Amino acid sequence: MNQTNKKGDWFEVTIPETWEQYTLETLFKDFWKAPKKQVHNFRMEKSVLINGIVPDWTLPLRKNQRLSIKLFTEEESAFIPEYMNVDIIFEDDHMIVFNKPAGMDTHPNEASETGTLANAAAFHMQANGEANRPRHIHRLDRDTTGAVLFAKNPLIAAILDKMLEERSIKRTYLALADGIIKQKKGTIDKPIGRDRHHPTRRRVSETGQKAITHFKVLDKLKQKNLTLVQCFLDTGRTHQIRVHLNAIGHPLAGDKLYDGSDQFYRQALHAVKMEFIHPFTQEKIICHAPFIDREPIFVNIDPYEI
């Protein structure tokens, strides 16, 4: 694990031996895959130092050098800060993972909107005296619960966006599907597009975006005619698990939009686990999201065993 530190507006990391293969230029460009414009701004504003000195970006990095990046500068919040009692399952100087409850949007659709997880994130950061604004890295549907990742500064946001795109952030979901799924595991590879006849619904469509869902059956609840399924996504399309399970004839229980039964008060979907390597510390981060609502069917499942 890399040694890191926060000093005022500056983030400091001690260069590990594994980074000696990089120059500053290639560390930002190839390792972190930071946007060119962002890196250009860092260089122009002298916001990156090595051992406290403005560096030559083309020289190889050396073990135990002190890399300082000015990350924690003041930004105006894009969201109205609003206190809400939302559990945090991981936090450091760069990111927060919330355990989102049901009935809450991930972010507002317009600046004046409140009641979303982004409003809670803005309040939490403001209350802690953090000057940056939060940026959601991915979304969960309003009635889907579980782990949602927010970045606390523009650099980590860009890095995490790229990691999500390259599938190095692994997200695991638990779902209750209607009916008994006979196969133990499978992959649903069906493109997803908009439904022309419904403003919010999606559907499997040959002209849609590529979408791949892997699933594994954990339990068959025959008395209730439900199957408990673990899902992993290779892509992150809107409503992906909901559309894909419906497409194989097993919609989520409670999912009225996709013809689910009324055995649940909402779509029975929970983002139970998130795993990734921290871009700065190189630590493996594993976030488990406990069930908030204590749903009677999920209640006997230990999220830490998933």
Side-chain angles (χ1 to χ4, degrees):
M1 182 174 148
N2 295 350
Q3 285 186 313
T4 64
N5 207 350
K6 181 181 179 182
K7 287 189 176 174
D9 291 350
W10 293 82
F11 162 64
E12 289 187 354
V13 57
T14 303
I15 300 292
E17 194 175 336
T18 52
W19 287 5
E20 289 194 325
Q21 61 184 299
Y22 299 108
T23 63
L24 256 188
E25 206 160 54
T26 58
L27 182 75
F28 276 85
K29 179 177 151 236
D30 300 332
F31 183 68
W32 285 328
K33 296 174 184 167
K36 283 181 186 174
K37 187 180 176 186
Q38 211 171 55
V39 176
H40 176 74
N41 289 342
F42 278 135
R43 292 179 80 151
M44 292 300 102
E45 292 161 14
K46 298 182 172 50
S47 296
V48 176
L49 306 175
I50 295 280
N51 293 339
I53 297 165
V54 176
D56 181 336
W57 282 64
T58 63
L59 291 178
L61 295 170
R62 292 283 170 255
K63 184 183 174 183
N64 293 330
Q65 285 180 322
R66 194 175 76 253
L67 168 62
S68 306
I69 311 171
K70 197 172 186 182
L71 287 185
F72 308 113
T73 51
E74 195 163 337
E75 297 178 283
E76 198 174 321
S77 181
F79 314 114
I80 297 167
E82 181 184 12
Y83 173 75
M84 282 174 279
N85 186 18
V86 183
D87 290 341
I88 291 169
I89 49 184
F90 175 80
E91 181 177 20
D92 68 3
D93 291 333
H94 307 282
M95 58 186 86
I96 321 176
V97 181
F98 289 98
N99 192 5
K100 188 182 89 64
M104 181 184 282
D105 287 323
T106 300
H107 61 88
N109 291 316
E110 50 192 55
S112 60
E113 199 180 325
T114 55
T116 77
L117 194 55
N119 299 110
F123 181 92
H124 175 78
M125 286 179 64
Q126 187 183 76
N128 286 346
E130 294 177 286
N132 290 104
R133 63 180 175 86
R135 295 158 166 85
H136 64 276
I137 300 304
H138 61 104
R139 285 178 290 227
L140 290 180
D141 296 337
R142 180 179 175 82
D143 284 327
T144 298
T145 53
V148 181
L149 175 62
F150 278 78
K152 289 187 178 182
N153 62 68
L155 176 61
I156 197 73
I159 294 169
L160 292 171
D161 278 340
K162 196 73 181 169
M163 286 171 65
L164 190 74
E165 189 186 307
E166 293 177 348
R167 302 199 291 277
S168 29
I169 298 175
K170 184 182 171 192
R171 292 178 288 158
T172 305
Y173 294 79
L174 286 181
L176 282 170
D178 284 329
I180 303 300
I181 300 175
K182 293 189 172 72
Q183 63 200 103
K184 286 182 180 173
K185 58 183 179 179
T187 295
I188 307 165
D189 184 350
K190 295 175 185 287
I192 291 174
R194 289 184 176 275
D195 187 330
R196 291 194 305 271
H197 308 293
H198 196 288
T200 55
R201 197 175 151 111
R202 301 292 193 274
R203 66 186 182 91
V204 168
S205 160
E206 289 309 312
T207 57
Q209 293 177 294
K210 188 168 182 63
I212 299 172
T213 303
H214 306 283
F215 69 87
K216 183 169 101 178
V217 170
L218 297 182
D219 199 5
K220 296 175 183 179
L221 310 169
K222 290 182 178 171
Q223 285 183 321
K224 294 180 178 289
N225 195 33
L226 293 171
T227 304
L228 179 65
V229 186
Q230 184 174 320
C231 297
F232 311 97
L233 305 183
D234 275 3
T235 50
R237 307 300 172 211
T238 301
H239 299 177
Q240 181 170 318
I241 293 173
R242 300 167 68 185
V243 173
H244 271 172
L245 288 177
N246 186 36
I248 63 166
H250 295 280
L252 291 180
D255 194 349
K256 290 174 185 162
L257 189 61
Y258 293 102
D259 312 316
S261 68
D262 59 2
Q263 291 201 66
F264 219 62
Y265 70 98
R266 60 172 177 90
Q267 72 257 12
L269 186 60
H270 179 73
V272 70
K273 186 178 173 187
M274 185 184 297
E275 302 165 75
F276 56 93
I277 301 297
H278 195 299
F280 295 150
T281 67
Q282 293 301 287
E283 180 186 9
K284 181 156 191 185
I285 307 293
I286 303 176
C287 303
H288 298 272
F291 305 107
I292 309 163
D293 300 346
R294 311 305 292 163
E295 289 96 341
I297 298 167
F298 282 154
V299 81
N300 296 323
I301 300 159
D302 182 353
Y304 295 92
E305 290 180 1
I306 297 296

